[in-house]
């Protein structure tokens, strides 16, 4: 004869530790601390294992900036964790001035995507000055600017300034295209 347990002799099911969940929910900013700590450790590891034989040109080499950024990430992670554990709380976001009932502006997204892809495809044959000017002007047009006389001039100046900055001052060669002999 088998008998079913009546419930009087059963042990109560173990309760989930609600205090642990509550504590983690109240200190959820610690997740950001862990993320910052992981990124900082990754940046420092990459900086310390970087080969710098060829690129070293002076007392400050290519390891300097990643080392400073990685150290700053670790410092911010520790300071934020201390603040959270002392009771500091992030302020709730008040929201942006966005109407969530309005549909997405797919026209702008598609125009920007098209301009970006066209600039990427044209940078080889036309060079950076022309492709960059098309990128700057097309982005301004896609985002709503309708100054057809001013925007192309600003785009050309921005593109040429960017080309000279990277090519001449920073030593990063950019394709000049048909304007290579002119500029």
């Amino acid at each position: 004869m088998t008998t079913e347990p009546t419930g009087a002799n059963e042990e109560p099911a173990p309760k989930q530790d609600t205090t642990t969940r509550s504590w983690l929910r109240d200190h959820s900013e610690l997740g950001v601390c862990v993320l910052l700590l992981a990124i900082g450790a990754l940046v420092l590891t990459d900086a310390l294992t970087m080969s710098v034989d060829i690129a070293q040109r002076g007392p400050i080499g290519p390891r300097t900036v990643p080392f400073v950024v990685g150290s700053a990430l670790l410092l911010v992670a520790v300071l934020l964790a201390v603040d959270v554990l002392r009771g500091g709380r992030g302020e709730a976001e008040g929201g942006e001035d966005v109407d969530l009932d309005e549909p997405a502006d797919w026209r702008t997204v598609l125009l920007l995507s098209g301009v970006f892809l066209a600039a990427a495809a044209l940078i080889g044959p036309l060079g950076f000055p022309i492709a960059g000017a098309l990128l700057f002007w097309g982005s301004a047009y896609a985002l709503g600017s309708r100054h057809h006389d001013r925007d192309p001039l600003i785009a050309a100046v921005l593109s040429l300034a960017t080309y000279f900055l990277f090519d001449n001052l920073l030593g990063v060669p950019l394709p000049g295209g048909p304007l290579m002999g002119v500029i």
Side-chain angles (χ1 to χ4, degrees):
M1 170 177 198
T2 60
T3 59
E4 297 288 324
T6 60
N9 296 334
E10 287 182 12
E11 291 185 31
K15 293 183 181 179
Q16 290 182 348
D17 192 10
T18 57
T19 58
T20 303
R21 278 192 185 180
S22 175
W23 188 87
L24 287 174
R25 187 171 293 132
D26 290 341
H27 297 87
S28 60
E29 292 93 348
L30 290 175
V32 175
C33 299
V34 170
L35 180 67
L36 289 173
L37 193 70
I39 293 172
L42 178 67
V43 169
L44 279 177
T45 302
D46 281 349
L48 294 174
T49 59
M50 182 185 298
S51 174
V52 293
D53 297 337
I54 297 172
Q56 187 74 28
R57 293 186 182 183
I60 297 178
R63 287 184 180 173
T64 305
V65 171
F67 187 75
V68 169
V69 169
S71 300
L73 283 169
L74 292 178
L75 178 67
V76 168
V78 169
L79 292 175
L80 181 60
V82 168
D83 181 54
V84 169
L85 293 174
R86 286 185 175 177
R89 303 257 325 147
E91 193 172 311
E93 184 178 351
E96 295 182 22
D97 188 20
V98 175
D99 187 6
L100 297 177
D101 296 329
E102 288 291 319
D105 187 8
W106 288 107
R107 179 183 179 274
T108 302
V109 172
L110 292 174
L111 279 173
L112 281 172
S113 299
V115 165
F116 180 75
L117 291 174
L122 295 175
I123 198 169
L126 296 181
F128 182 84
I130 295 173
L134 291 173
L135 175 68
F136 291 136
W137 175 77
S139 298
Y141 181 83
L143 293 173
S145 178
R146 297 297 181 257
H147 297 280
H148 300 296
D149 53 344
R150 181 184 68 180
D151 290 344
L153 294 174
I154 293 173
V157 169
L158 278 174
S159 182
L160 286 172
T162 304
Y163 177 77
F164 281 121
L165 176 76
F166 277 85
D167 198 55
N168 295 336
L169 297 177
L170 296 176
V172 177
L174 294 175
L179 297 178
M180 188 65 139
V182 178
I183 352 185

